Amino acid sequence: MHYTGTIWRPPYEASSLLLEVTAGCTHHRCKFCTLYADLPFQFRMSPVGDIEADLKEAQEIYRRYPGDKIARTFLTGANPFVLKFKRLMEIAALVHRYFPEMETIGSFARVTDVTLKSDEELAAMHAAGYDGLTIGIETADDDALRFMDKGYGSADILKQCRRLDNAGIHYSFFYLAGISGAGRGEAGAEATAAVCNQLHPTVIGANMLTIYPDSRLYGEILKGNWKEESETEKYREVRVLVEQLKIPTVFAALGASNAFQMQGMLPEDKGKLLAFLDDVVNNTGEDRLRRYRESVHHL
């Protein structure tokens, strides 16, 4: 298989066929991000020949285990959804040629990737199997989005995700606790809940900001331009987000950045999630949470 660098996927894509169609990120400017620092380039599209070769290899592997049926492909790279409509449809056709039983195709996507497709193209992509995108919105705090150089604002999240809703393409959000900075976390959570409550994310996955010395954000801290939230504040922030979400969705914190993992359905499990977060805030202690943060050497 043609895999380049570290391959990242959401926890819930563990059983998916991981197919590399891009490597790196087209944006590559978020101040906190170091995920693709191991690549010698910013972004690269995989040749169609490599994609087809990987599908052939995967097909041979799965033929050895006839009882294992695979229903989902996850396209790897930071934002494969940026590819042009024609290329994405070509990839879908290849996937279905080698795996006729494949039901859906997902990927990471940036909010700005959706703007590149017309409503008609989004509908055609859904018909071709594209469904279940994972979008790292991080927050709907516009000040934080601008400072972190995300390249979009909360109004863009609303507009583009409503277009996905209209096309029938489901999506999940990654929320990054701590991105608003010290003293602003709960306000950032409130802004994010207000946006999410107008949309239909299947999952809202919380992650905890971990700052590494090779990030642009670390340089901003050294200059005195930004201050990190405490670990306890991050958990209070997540509590506000859970408390203010009014939509039916799965809320989860399952990635390695989370010292404590949790998952539940909203609104049914809201009380349990809030009680769990209260216990973390009241009984864990900042020192223990900070030790965990410092132990996360790479994300």
Side-chain angles (χ1 to χ4, degrees):
M1 302 291 285
H2 294 85
Y3 292 137
T4 306
T6 304
I7 301 301
W8 302 100
R9 60 155 178 82
Y12 43 79
E13 297 288 0
S15 61
S16 302
L17 169 62
L18 303 181
L19 181 66
E20 180 170 295
V21 300
T22 64
C25 177
T26 56
H27 186 66
H28 203 60
R29 294 200 303 271
C30 300
K31 291 182 180 180
F32 56 85
C33 184
T34 60
L35 292 184
Y36 302 96
D38 60 338
L39 298 179
F41 50 81
Q42 176 175 321
F43 179 81
R44 187 180 71 190
M45 295 188 298
S46 299
V48 173
D50 287 356
I51 296 171
E52 185 164 11
D54 286 349
L55 286 167
K56 287 180 181 178
E57 182 178 346
Q59 183 189 62
E60 289 301 317
I61 292 171
Y62 278 94
R63 278 177 177 168
R64 300 173 199 165
Y65 307 96
D68 293 340
K69 297 296 182 181
I70 186 163
R72 181 164 173 80
T73 295
F74 184 77
L75 309 180
T76 68
N79 60 322
F81 206 69
V82 75
L83 295 176
K84 291 182 178 179
F85 169 73
K86 182 178 179 182
R87 171 61 73 91
L88 288 168
M89 294 295 281
E90 184 177 12
I91 291 169
L94 284 171
V95 169
H96 292 302
R97 181 189 306 172
Y98 288 94
F99 291 90
E101 72 276 20
M102 196 69 66
E103 296 175 3
T104 58
I105 303 169
S107 75
F108 284 124
R110 281 178 48 80
V111 171
T112 52
D113 297 343
V114 184
T115 67
L116 304 176
K117 280 78 179 173
S118 68
D119 292 342
E120 293 75 18
E121 287 172 340
L122 290 174
M125 291 177 68
H126 179 246
Y130 283 98
D131 199 24
L133 302 177
T134 294
I135 305 173
I137 61 166
E138 323 302 0
T139 184
D141 175 352
D142 281 316
D143 289 339
L145 291 170
R146 278 191 295 269
F147 182 80
M148 294 297 176
D149 202 4
K150 284 296 297 182
Y152 57 80
S154 60
D156 301 305
I157 298 171
L158 271 173
K159 180 178 180 180
Q160 299 309 322
C161 290
R162 280 172 171 161
R163 294 182 64 227
L164 292 175
D165 285 336
N166 291 336
I169 297 177
H170 297 90
Y171 52 88
S172 298
F173 288 155
F174 273 174
Y175 176 80
L176 190 57
I179 193 172
S180 293
R184 290 187 45 83
E186 293 187 21
E190 290 175 357
T192 304
V195 167
C196 290
N197 285 338
Q198 300 175 66
L199 298 169
H200 302 88
T202 304
V203 178
I204 298 176
N207 297 289
M208 298 288 173
L209 177 64
T210 306
I211 302 167
Y212 295 102
D214 55 342
S215 68
R216 292 173 60 202
L217 183 57
Y218 186 77
E220 296 284 9
I221 293 172
L222 293 180
K223 295 174 186 175
N225 295 334
W226 193 85
K227 186 177 179 181
E228 184 180 5
E229 289 183 27
S230 70
E231 296 302 309
T232 305
E233 186 179 359
K234 291 175 188 175
Y235 276 94
R236 289 200 301 267
E237 172 184 343
V238 172
R239 189 194 191 285
V240 169
L241 178 61
V242 172
E243 184 178 42
Q244 297 204 8
L245 285 170
K246 309 300 182 186
I247 53 173
T249 189
V250 175
F251 188 88
L254 300 176
S257 69
N258 298 286
F260 294 94
Q261 298 191 340
M262 69 191 105
Q263 181 172 329
M265 285 293 302
L266 294 178
E268 300 95 312
D269 298 325
K270 180 177 286 192
K272 293 179 181 178
L273 290 169
L274 292 177
F276 181 86
L277 289 163
D278 284 339
D279 184 59
V280 172
V281 170
N282 296 326
N283 299 316
T284 305
E286 179 67 22
D287 290 345
R288 181 181 171 190
L289 291 171
R290 174 51 60 177
R291 283 196 300 272
Y292 181 83
R293 181 68 45 230
E294 292 173 351
S295 75
V296 182
H297 297 300
H298 183 53
L299 287 175

